[in-house]
Amino acid sequence: MSTTPHPTPTVAPAPAHGLPLMLAMVIPAQLLAITGIIGGAVQPHIAQHFHTTEIAWFSLASALVTLVSVPFAMKFADIYGKRRVMLLLAVAGLAGDVVAALAPSYPVLLAGRMITGLYGPVVALIHAAVREYFPPRRIATAYGVVTGSIGVITLAGPPATGRLVDAHGWRGGMWLLAGLTAFAALMIWRMPETRRRGRFGADFDWAGGLLLGAGVALIVFGVGRGNGHGWTALQTCGPILAGLAALACFVPVELRAARPVVDVRMLSRRPVATVIAAAAFAQFAFVISPAILSFLAQFPHIPGVSDSFGWSTTHYALVGIPAGVATVAAGLAAGALLRRHPPRALWLAGTTVLICGLLLFSQFHGSAGEVIVSGVVTGLGGGTVMACGTAMIVSVITARHQASVNGMAYLLLQVVGGISYQVLFTVLSTHRSIVHGTAFYRDQAFTNGYYFLAALGAVGLLVSLFMPRMRRLADAADDPDDGR
């Protein structure tokens, strides 16, 4: 059975309403970054509260659901409109935040985090919607506001989170996240609807969506069990092999599908494949770096057991302010440069600086002063990398493929992130001590963790060298939907 699509008017807002709409998109676009900040602050407290060594699942639980839901969300957004799909996903994410905040046990908290994972596709949809909401001459400015806001979030988020967590414990941080998710849903509700393409019918690619979502989720799930069960155990290898088999079946299914949920032919194009791969590795290296610092800063200092500082959450946040300022400055500068220059050279410079910052962290993290200096360098590189990521995608595709490629890019980021997050905790666990069910880390663990993140950034830089020459953002946005 199929339904007739409803016609919709042109969705580009009047210029007078351009800036308010850009600002309304900031919190929905950056909610996962906010989740990373709040999650990084509360995870040490949650680990000690529930006496668990499996704190990595705090992030992996939501990532698994996101991986399954992204293919369907991107397709439904084309059929029913991005605003409608984003609003439903945001409301579902809010329900998950409430469950997590009220959780009486760690398994219940993980259940809430799994529901929260339904919000994940909103980030990819927001970035795809920018190109539909604004005329070509304002695309660069819109992306600068929406993506560059990561610096403001990085600057303002930790102090606010720190005060709440110090005053009300980890649940205070989780309720803050729930409130921000509710605000994001309100902002989405106030946005105009986007143009609808296609229709829902018998030819909908259910098989492709299920194979892709289940395949990547099984791989991440299997990797997540490696640290606890061993990397050669059936509990680890079984899901990984099943996931690889599902992905192997996914490719021929998509090539035959009349309306594929993901156009895998796009990945055969060098510009698309190299851009989304480079962004996945380099951006994740930056986004996850605060997780190491959170455990370094907030776990107690126990001679012979834990080499952490034992700072309060507020102190940890205040030490991070210079890095937040650097991230803001880099994001603003990158946004200004992207209006006049192609993103490739700026991306290469930002990725290089990011790697240098992570290597600095690996050697200099023994005091507040060293953390500040290393954090500033990392923030300069990270702010540039985050500002350039979406700009590179826009520069190599047309508007018709924006949502699809954004979905693929976000999906790959989640796959790289889910696997690398678990590997990171495996690296940390080689120098840990377990006391009363909580894993505490020695200094070498933090050093190795930053080495690992620098290696991820280096992979992104290496892939970047194979990216082709790119156009300016304004030139790419002016191109018609020519089917490229």
Side-chain angles (χ1 to χ4, degrees):
M1 185 176 71
S2 64
T3 58
T4 302
H6 300 286
T8 55
T10 301
V11 297
H17 300 289
L19 182 59
L21 181 57
M22 292 178 200
L23 295 176
M25 300 175 78
V26 166
I27 294 299
Q30 299 296 349
L31 191 62
L32 291 190
I34 296 171
T35 301
I37 292 170
I38 297 175
V42 301
Q43 281 184 74
H45 301 270
I46 291 174
Q48 294 178 82
H49 179 85
F50 291 116
H51 302 290
T52 178
T53 60
E54 300 295 331
I55 193 61
W57 282 99
F58 179 88
S59 295
L60 288 177
S62 58
L64 290 175
V65 176
T66 296
L67 289 170
V68 175
S69 60
V70 163
F72 296 105
M74 304 308 292
K75 196 66 175 180
F76 286 143
D78 275 345
I79 295 172
Y80 297 111
K82 294 179 178 63
R83 172 189 172 273
R84 181 177 300 178
V85 173
M86 288 191 294
L87 186 58
L88 290 174
L89 294 174
V91 171
L94 175 59
D97 287 334
V98 172
V99 171
L102 294 172
S105 65
Y106 193 55
V108 174
L109 187 147
L110 293 183
R113 293 288 297 155
M114 291 183 71
I115 300 172
T116 302
L118 290 170
Y119 186 93
V122 173
V123 176
L125 290 171
I126 281 284
H127 286 95
V130 168
R131 203 163 179 175
E132 295 193 47
Y133 284 152
F134 301 99
R137 63 185 176 83
R138 305 197 71 179
I139 292 291
T141 300
Y143 276 122
V145 171
V146 174
T147 62
S149 60
I150 181 65
V152 179
I153 300 300
T154 303
L155 182 61
T161 303
R163 290 185 179 278
L164 270 176
V165 173
D166 286 341
H168 303 288
W170 63 269
R171 294 187 193 275
M174 298 306 295
W175 281 116
L176 173 62
L177 182 58
L180 290 171
T181 304
F183 182 78
L186 176 62
M187 292 297 99
I188 293 170
W189 176 71
R190 293 176 60 86
M191 293 176 190
E193 187 55 274
T194 60
R195 186 168 56 249
R196 302 174 192 174
R197 302 178 176 91
R199 60 188 178 86
F200 184 82
D203 59 351
F204 186 81
D205 187 20
W206 289 105
L210 290 172
L211 285 171
L212 176 60
V216 294
L218 282 168
I219 292 172
V220 173
F221 177 75
V223 172
R225 296 169 70 87
N227 195 35
H229 296 274
W231 292 100
T232 59
L234 180 61
Q235 295 94 324
T236 301
C237 295
I240 293 176
L241 292 175
L244 291 173
L247 293 181
C249 296
F250 165 74
V251 174
V253 166
E254 291 304 275
L255 291 175
R256 292 195 302 267
R259 300 178 183 273
V261 70
V262 171
D263 186 359
V264 295
R265 292 180 179 86
M266 291 292 293
L267 293 177
S268 66
R269 304 179 184 181
R270 182 165 67 97
V272 174
T274 52
V275 162
I276 64 175
F281 282 96
Q283 289 184 339
F284 178 77
F286 173 64
V287 169
I288 201 58
S289 59
I292 300 179
L293 183 57
S294 178
F295 288 98
L296 170 64
Q298 296 187 85
F299 264 175
H301 181 77
I302 306 172
V305 175
S306 171
D307 288 331
S308 297
F309 298 144
W311 292 344
S312 68
T313 308
T314 301
H315 187 185
Y316 158 61
L318 293 176
V319 170
I321 286 178
V325 172
T327 306
V328 172
L332 292 174
L337 290 171
L338 287 171
R339 297 188 189 103
R340 302 189 300 272
H341 303 284
R344 186 177 185 273
L346 189 59
W347 167 269
L348 291 173
T351 306
T352 302
V353 175
L354 172 63
I355 295 169
C356 291
L358 294 171
L359 290 175
L360 272 177
F361 253 129
S362 71
Q363 300 301 310
F364 303 102
H365 55 258
S367 66
E370 292 182 351
V371 167
I372 289 172
V373 173
S374 300
V376 166
V377 177
T378 302
L380 290 173
T384 304
V385 163
M386 298 305 293
C388 290
T390 304
M392 291 196 301
I393 293 177
V394 173
S395 71
V396 297
I397 61 171
T398 58
R400 187 165 67 91
H401 295 115
Q402 182 77 45
S404 174
V405 175
N406 266 79
M408 286 188 282
Y410 185 71
L411 191 66
L412 183 59
L413 176 64
Q414 291 297 309
V415 172
V416 171
I419 294 174
S420 300
Y421 195 72
Q422 181 59 37
V423 174
L424 172 62
F425 275 88
T426 301
V427 170
L428 293 175
S429 69
T430 57
H431 294 85
R432 71 176 184 178
S433 300
I434 299 177
V435 179
H436 300 303
T438 303
F440 296 99
Y441 304 106
R442 304 303 304 272
D443 183 73
Q444 190 61 44
F446 300 121
T447 295
N448 293 343
Y450 282 116
Y451 276 144
F452 173 68
L453 295 189
L456 287 180
V459 172
L461 180 60
L462 179 62
V463 174
S464 302
L465 299 178
F466 295 92
M467 295 191 305
R469 297 173 66 89
M470 297 178 182
R471 299 167 295 169
R472 293 186 308 133
L473 203 58
D475 296 336
D478 274 325
D479 274 1
D481 267 347
D482 58 6
R484 276 187 297 107

